[in-house]
Each structure stands twice: as C-alpha cells, then as structure tokens.
Amino acid sequence: MTFPMIQLPQRALTLSQGVISVPKALFFSLPIIIGLTAFMAISEAPGILRDWTINQNPVTLDSGDIRDGKCTTRKGFFTTCSADLNYTYNGQSYDKNVEIMFVDIHDGDYDTNLVISADHPDLATLSLGIEKLWNRIITLAVFVALLGGASIAAIFQILRGWRVRSRLRQPAQLVPVPVEITAFDRRRKRLAVTYTDKIAERKTGRVGHTHFEPGQEPLLIGENGGKAVGLAVWHGKTSLPVLLDERLERIEMTAEERAKVLAPLAVELGGHTPELIVQGKKGPSIMTRLARFLLVILLIIGGIFGYWLWYVTSASSQFTSPAMDINNMLPAPLNRWGCDQLKKRFGDQRAPFGCTASDYSSWK
C-alpha cells in the first residue's frame, strides 16, 4: 500500500527538541522488575547451590529427623516445600531449615529423606530437593530470564530514547516514511501518541512515543487496517522515526517552505485530511495507565504485607521462606513486632533469620 509523501528541502534540517518521549511507566516499573529479579535469585540460588554441592557426594541419613515438613502448591503447579532437619553426623549435631521451590503437577504427599554432603556434613537437604534439582535450576533460570529480559528491554528502550533525543540536536537529512498510529491519548489539551514503524519499505517494527503541544495534531496521510497512518521522518541515522505535526512546525523551515511542502500533499489528499479520532483507536489515557500501574503496585505491596502478617501470626514454622526474609527487611518497629509475635508461638525453638540475637540462634 502506498501513501502520499512530501518533498522536503534537500539540505540538513533540524527537528524541534522533545519530539521523542520516553514513557514514564518505564521509570516506575524498572526498579520493581529489577527488585523481583534480584529477589528470585537471592531467595532460590543459595538453596540450589547447596543442593548441587550435596549432590556431588550425597549421604542419606535414616537416623535424621524431619520436622514440620510441608509442601504447598500454588496455581496448580508451583510447589514450595519446607522442613526443619535435625541430625547427628560424626558426633556433631546439626539443626537446619530447608526450603525448595519447583514446578510439578502432583496430587498427594511427597516421600522424602534427609540427605547431607559427605564432604560438608553441615549441608543438608531433602532428597526431594535432589530429585528436583534440574527442575529447580530450570525454573529459576526461566524466571530470571523473563524478569531480567524485561529489565534489559526497559533499560534499552530508555537509553534508545535518550540517544535519539541527543542526536536530534544536530541538523541532518530527513527521509519521510509512513508509520502506524497504534495508540493515542488526549489529556489536558496535550496529545500523546504511540506509533510503530511497520508500514514503510524498510520497516523496523520499532515503537516510538511523542507528545503534541496544545493546538498541534499529527500529520495523517491515510489508514491501514482501520488504524490511522501518520507521516514521520528518519533523522540521519537515528534509530527511531519522528512523527510530524500537520503544520510541519517540528521541522525548522521558513513559512514559505512549509507551505510549498504541504501544498502537493493537500492536493493528493483531496482536501480531506484524515482524522485521528476516526481512524485511530483510542488507547487508555496516561492517567488511566498510571492508575492501573499504581493499583498493581498497591496489590503487590498489600499481598506482601498480608503474607508477612500471616507468617508472623499463623505460619506453622518460624523458618517459612521468603516470609522470614521479608520480616528481616521491614523497618525496625514492624520487624520487632513481627518477631514478638513469632516468639509467642516459637519461643522455645531457634529464632529465624531476622529475629536472632548476636549468637544467630537465640531470640533478640
């Protein structure tokens, strides 16, 4: 499909500053995604490394004691198991807490034994953890790859936007191209537009974001599959095209040059300029997207807080992970209150991480 184009002056031209936007949602979501990635790696990697070491020279202990063993399956296949392990080896007594996570479709109980490392008897785990070792490795790798990939993609998009904006400060040859308007939002007299380079002959599939000031509209030249098509320009060797406004005010030219460039286009369009509100499909507003984002954040915070409350008031073991790690990271007043609740129920046992005194065993 062909679209009417414009013929710009054959010289290096300068574009207005700020014509490429970086979505603010990226700046809000990036720390959360990175935090989730780090949390998954920190909470699961040590246990996997421990069980990998044990698996090099394992010893199954029939005399060991497995207490408070419990497995919980979420979403039908995410399974977490935890247990307290007590055993004696070569005259030395050990007391360990073990937690493992893996993916499995299972109905009923798991049979498991206590396994230690012959080379490092202080390392102990469940035989179930050894059996599911590669399952756990792959599960962690998938989570980290997905979350880490999302983090890298967000960072790349932010850096690309900044790089394009810096390059637009210098004059360069402009090459007109059609782009598809994929979303737009009118708020407070400003128009935010998302567009994709997937129509032009050398289409890149890259997505651009821009804001139009009050009174400005994008230069539309047709439609494609029910969506508006706008006119953009490649600025030199930048990695994103820049969407133009209907009066070409984003390009530094004289009024006479703008009129000369736009006149043939008006003839080709027959005097009927496509309308964004008709041709495009309005996406959610920036405030709506921000509200949804904040709602997700609040739900995550609420879920974590509720999980922590359940842990300190109702959990069957003080060594429930990652709840005890969350308790340790909370501000001192909340941590102290949580430890007091745990001590009321488990005061005759060892203190969990986050509630231990200087000896790393007794309650603080």
Side-chain angles (χ1 to χ4, degrees):
M1 182 180 295
T2 59
F3 297 93
M5 290 288 108
I6 58 176
Q7 185 66 43
L8 294 169
Q10 295 302 303
R11 69 173 188 271
L13 297 170
T14 301
L15 292 170
S16 302
Q17 297 300 304
V19 292
I20 291 292
S21 304
V22 178
K24 294 181 179 179
L26 289 178
F27 296 98
F28 290 114
S29 60
L30 183 57
I32 296 174
I33 298 174
I34 293 176
L36 289 174
T37 306
F39 177 76
M40 284 295 300
I42 293 172
S43 62
E44 297 300 325
I48 291 176
L49 291 175
R50 175 202 63 213
D51 290 4
W52 180 273
T53 303
I54 294 173
N55 195 42
Q56 304 308 302
N57 193 5
V59 175
T60 301
L61 296 183
D62 296 330
S63 59
D65 184 21
I66 301 176
R67 298 184 304 170
D68 299 325
K70 181 181 180 181
C71 289
T72 303
T73 300
R74 299 177 179 84
K75 304 297 183 182
F77 51 90
F78 284 111
T79 302
T80 56
C81 297
S82 63
D84 293 326
L85 309 180
N86 303 98
Y87 62 97
T88 301
Y89 189 77
N90 290 338
Q92 177 69 42
S93 296
Y94 299 92
D95 187 5
K96 301 289 181 179
N97 174 259
V98 172
E99 290 212 9
I100 58 176
M101 182 191 76
F102 53 91
V103 173
D104 190 23
I105 301 177
H106 181 84
D107 185 21
D109 298 330
Y110 288 98
D111 293 324
T112 188
N113 297 310
L114 195 158
V115 181
I116 69 169
S117 169
D119 301 322
H120 306 279
D122 59 314
L123 299 180
T125 188
L126 300 171
S127 60
L128 181 63
I130 301 296
E131 295 169 5
K132 302 290 185 180
L133 185 56
W134 278 106
N135 181 309
R136 296 161 60 196
I137 293 173
I138 294 173
T139 299
L140 178 61
V142 169
F143 270 104
V144 172
L146 291 176
L147 294 173
S151 301
I152 294 173
I155 292 172
F156 178 78
Q157 189 170 352
I158 291 172
L159 294 178
R160 184 173 64 185
W162 286 348
R163 186 180 182 187
V164 171
R165 291 171 71 168
S166 67
R167 288 191 171 186
L168 293 181
R169 297 170 184 163
Q170 303 298 324
Q173 288 287 336
L174 304 183
V175 179
V177 289
V179 294
E180 184 177 287
I181 307 294
T182 54
F184 67 93
D185 173 49
R186 297 181 187 274
R187 286 285 173 175
R188 298 180 181 178
K189 298 182 180 181
R190 296 186 71 194
L191 175 64
V193 178
T194 300
Y195 56 96
T196 306
D197 176 33
K198 61 179 183 179
I199 302 176
E201 185 176 344
R202 66 160 192 155
K203 55 188 176 183
T204 63
R206 294 170 185 165
V207 178
H209 305 271
T210 189
H211 286 85
F212 288 94
E213 296 301 325
Q216 287 188 338
E217 292 287 330
L219 178 53
L220 303 181
I221 55 176
E223 66 172 89
N224 180 49
K227 293 186 177 180
V229 175
L231 188 62
V233 290
W234 285 103
H235 175 275
K237 296 183 178 180
T238 54
S239 56
L240 283 175
V242 175
L243 187 62
L244 298 177
D245 64 288
E246 62 182 0
R247 293 193 293 267
L248 299 183
E249 293 176 342
R250 291 188 162 192
I251 305 176
E252 292 189 8
M253 297 188 297
T254 65
E256 292 76 11
E257 287 177 321
R258 292 193 181 96
K260 184 178 179 180
V261 170
L262 288 173
L265 181 62
V267 174
E268 288 191 67
L269 293 175
H272 302 287
T273 303
E275 296 182 10
L276 185 63
I277 195 169
V278 174
Q279 304 296 346
K281 181 179 179 180
K282 185 175 180 180
S285 68
I286 294 177
M287 293 302 296
T288 300
R289 292 195 293 266
L290 181 60
R292 290 175 181 175
F293 175 78
L294 293 176
L295 178 60
V296 171
I297 299 301
L298 290 175
L299 289 174
I300 293 174
I301 294 175
I304 293 175
F305 187 73
Y307 178 55
W308 170 75
L309 280 178
W310 166 83
Y311 163 64
V312 299
T313 60
S314 306
S316 59
S317 171
Q318 72 272 36
F319 296 108
T320 301
S321 182
M324 62 179 176
D325 301 289
I326 296 174
N327 184 56
N328 179 64
M329 292 185 292
L330 288 177
L334 289 176
N335 172 262
R336 185 165 51 252
W337 183 84
C339 290
D340 289 342
Q341 304 309 306
L342 291 168
K343 189 175 181 180
K344 290 178 183 178
R345 296 185 294 125
F346 305 107
D348 57 337
Q349 303 176 30
R350 286 193 309 113
F353 176 61
C355 295
T356 56
S358 57
D359 60 358
Y360 300 102
S361 179
S362 60
W363 295 83
K364 63 182 177 181

